[in-house]
Amino acid sequence: MADVKLQEKYAELALKTGVNLQKGQALMINSSIEGVDFTRIVVRKAYELGAKDVIINWQDDEITLLKYQNESEEVLMDVPQWQVDKYLSYAEDGVALLSIRSTNPDLLKEVDPAKVAKATKARAEAMKEFRKYTMNDRIAWSIISIPTGDWAQKIFPDSDVEEAKEKLWEQIFQIVRVDQEDPIAAWDQHNQTLKDAHGILNEKKYKQLIFKAPGTDITFDLPEGHIWKGGGAYTTEGRHFNPNMPTEEVFTVPHKYGVNGVVTSTKPLVYGGNMIDNFSLTFEEGKVVDFKAEQGYETLKHLLESDEGAKRLGELALVPDASPISQSGLIFYNTLFDENASCHIALGKAYPTNLEGGSEMSDEELDQHGVNDSLTHVDFMIGSADLDIDGVTADGKTEPVFRKGAWALDI
C-alpha cells in the first residue's frame, strides 16, 4: 500500500497547485473506481479547503469494455443531452475540473477501432461547447494520474499487481515532486523555470522551426503572434493553475497550413484503448497526406479521419531529453507522462490561447491566423537524444534551438 501521507500530499498538490481550488468553489472530479481510496482523500481535502460541492464522475474500465463488446454503435454514439448540460451547468458556475487518469492502455485492443472512433467522435461533438471552457482557460482544470493494476503491470510486466502498483506510485511521487519536503514550493520553482524558457522563445519570435532526427525531417511554420506557454496557466479571471501534472514542456501553435515534411514517432501512442507504435506521418501544406504504422494502423487511420482538422496540427511542444521522465528510462503508455519525456506534436485542435488575442477570436478568425480546429487533440512523441532543432528568425537567419535533444539556447 502506497504511503498514505504521500498520497495526501499529492491530493493537496493537485488541489492547491493543480486546480487552485478556492473557498466556496465547486470541484468536479473524473476518476476511476479503482482509485476510490485516493479519490476519497482528494474529496476530504477539497472540503477542508472550503469546496462548496464535490461532484464525482466515476469510470470503470471493465464496464467500459463490456459496453463496447455488447452495445450497438448507435447506442454508443448517443450522448444524452442531460450529460452535456451537467458539465455546462457546472462550468458556467466556475467549477474546477480535476481528472485522475489511469486507464488500461490495452483496454480496447480487441474492439473494432471503427466502433471506438465513432463513439469517441460522437462524444467530442456533444461536448464541443464544454471543451471551449478548458481550451480557452475559462475554468481551472488539471490532469493527474494514479496507478491501477493493469496500467502498472503494463509498465512493470515482471512484477505482480501489488508490487507493480507500488513501483508506479514511487515513480509518480518522484516525477510530480511529491517526495520533496514542500511539493508546492518545488512546483513554484519549476513553473518559474518553464516560464523563463518560454519567455526566451517569445522574445525570439521564430517564423519557423526545423526538426531533424532519424526518420524525421520536418519544418513547422509558426503563425504571426504565436505565444509560447508552459508550466502554469491563468484562467480568464486571472487565477493561476497547472493543467498537467507532471509537465516539462513549453508549447505553442504551429501554422495549420505551414507544416511540411516527414515526422516519425519515438514512443508508443495509446489512443481509444489501442496502441499505435512505430508510425510516421508525411505533411504537405499542413495536412497529413501519407502515414505508416507498424502497430495500430487502423486506429491511426480512424484518428486521422475523425474530421478534417484531425489531419492537421494544433500543438508543437519542446521537452529536453534530460527531463526526469525521460531519464527514468520507462515508457508509461500514458500520454500525460510520455509527452513530458519528449518533444511532441498534437493532431487536432489548437489552444486559442497560444495566439495573441486568440481566445477572443471566432473560428473563422482563428483559421485566418492559421490556428487549427478539430473535435480531437491527440499528442504523440517525436523527440529523442538524436533530435536537432533549428529556429528561423524573422530576418531569415537560422540558429540552433536543440542539439542532440538538449537546449542549445541559454535556458
Side-chain angles (χ1 to χ4, degrees):
M1 177 68 181
D3 190 317
V4 174
K5 290 190 176 180
L6 286 178
Q7 289 191 47
E8 291 185 344
K9 288 174 72 174
Y10 191 21
E12 287 185 2
L13 179 69
L15 292 171
K16 292 181 179 180
T17 301
V19 297
N20 193 4
L21 185 68
Q22 302 294 299
K23 187 174 182 179
Q25 185 181 21
L27 172 69
M28 180 178 283
I29 300 174
N30 297 323
S31 186
S32 164
I33 61 168
E34 194 172 340
V36 63
D37 292 336
F38 176 76
T39 304
R40 285 171 177 160
I41 294 173
V42 176
V43 173
R44 173 165 53 81
K45 294 288 183 182
Y47 283 127
E48 289 174 359
L49 289 171
K52 70 175 182 181
D53 188 15
V54 180
I55 308 97
I56 312 291
N57 299 315
W58 292 111
Q59 292 136 14
D60 176 68
D61 276 357
E62 293 304 314
I63 290 177
T64 298
L65 177 58
L66 287 168
K67 281 179 172 290
Y68 275 100
Q69 289 173 332
N70 294 280
E71 291 182 0
S72 66
E73 287 183 356
E74 290 73 21
V75 171
L76 287 168
M77 292 170 62
D78 180 25
V79 182
Q81 187 60 40
W82 65 265
Q83 290 185 3
V84 178
D85 292 342
K86 172 185 173 180
Y87 277 86
L88 287 173
S89 174
Y90 282 108
E92 290 163 5
D93 188 46
V95 73
L97 176 65
L98 178 64
S99 295
I100 305 173
R101 290 189 178 170
S102 47
T103 299
N104 174 5
D106 296 320
L107 180 65
L108 304 179
K109 66 180 181 180
E110 302 299 332
V111 178
D112 181 3
K115 192 175 187 179
V116 177
K118 289 178 181 178
T120 301
K121 182 177 181 179
R123 182 157 187 83
E125 288 175 336
M127 298 297 289
K128 189 173 182 178
E129 284 304 308
F130 174 76
R131 199 171 189 192
K132 291 180 180 178
Y133 281 88
T134 55
M135 296 294 283
N136 289 285
D137 294 342
R138 295 177 188 169
I139 60 173
W141 56 278
S142 189
I143 305 171
I144 65 172
S145 286
I146 60 172
T148 56
D150 289 326
W151 178 34
Q153 282 198 296
K154 180 72 176 179
I155 302 171
F156 303 105
D158 296 330
S159 299
D160 63 35
V161 173
E162 292 307 314
E163 182 184 15
K165 288 172 69 174
E166 283 297 314
K167 287 181 178 180
L168 186 49
W169 269 120
E170 289 176 11
Q171 288 291 329
I172 291 174
F173 288 150
Q174 179 181 350
I175 288 168
V176 297
R177 299 171 171 80
V178 170
D179 62 342
Q180 299 189 26
E181 184 175 347
D182 188 342
I184 292 174
W187 269 87
D188 288 343
Q189 182 179 354
H190 181 54
N191 279 329
Q192 185 61 50
T193 299
L194 292 173
K195 185 177 180 180
D196 293 343
H198 65 67
I200 291 171
L201 290 166
N202 283 325
E203 289 177 4
K204 292 287 187 180
K205 293 183 173 19
Y206 292 121
K207 66 177 183 180
Q208 287 182 326
L209 288 181
I210 303 166
F211 283 47
K212 291 188 177 181
T216 291
D217 188 349
I218 190 166
T219 299
F220 303 94
D221 291 355
L222 302 180
E224 186 175 348
H226 70 274
I227 300 171
W228 288 90
K229 294 192 168 193
Y234 291 89
T235 66
T236 49
E237 296 179 345
R239 187 175 300 164
H240 190 269
F241 68 101
N242 265 90
N244 291 344
M245 303 182 82
T247 185
E248 302 288 339
E249 67 178 312
V250 291
F251 64 97
T252 193
V253 53
H255 198 294
K256 67 180 290 185
Y257 300 113
V259 181
N260 292 278
V262 179
V263 64
T264 297
S265 66
T266 53
K267 290 181 182 291
L269 166 64
V270 176
Y271 176 72
N274 286 278
M275 190 88 67
I276 310 171
D277 200 7
N278 296 323
F279 60 97
S280 64
L281 304 175
T282 301
F283 288 86
E284 290 182 6
E285 298 182 350
K287 185 177 181 179
V288 175
V289 294
D290 191 21
F291 64 95
K292 301 174 183 177
E294 289 184 14
Q295 180 180 349
Y297 179 89
E298 287 299 318
T299 299
L300 178 57
K301 180 175 182 287
H302 289 300
L303 166 58
L304 292 167
E305 292 174 349
S306 297
D307 58 21
E308 191 59 31
K311 299 180 183 68
R312 300 183 184 272
L313 295 180
E315 181 182 329
L316 170 62
L318 305 184
V319 181
D321 189 62
S323 77
I325 302 173
S326 177
Q327 294 306 304
S328 74
L330 297 172
I331 296 176
F332 285 87
Y333 306 99
N334 177 315
T335 300
L336 177 62
F337 285 79
D338 289 331
E339 73 171 1
N340 286 297
S342 166
C343 291
H344 55 273
I345 52 181
L347 292 164
K349 187 172 180 63
Y351 291 96
T353 51
N354 278 124
L355 184 77
E356 292 176 9
S359 59
E360 306 302 321
M361 292 182 184
S362 66
D363 291 344
E364 291 76 16
E365 290 172 320
L366 288 168
D367 178 72
Q368 290 168 9
H369 284 80
V371 179
N372 194 34
D373 188 26
S374 174
L375 294 171
T376 192
H377 178 98
V378 180
D379 299 272
F380 67 94
M381 288 55 76
I382 63 172
S384 70
D386 297 316
L387 175 64
D388 290 340
I389 303 174
D390 285 326
V392 181
T393 61
D395 58 3
K397 293 180 181 177
T398 299
E399 61 185 36
V401 177
F402 263 48
R403 284 295 179 266
K404 296 299 180 183
W407 286 109
L409 300 173
D410 187 18
I411 291 177

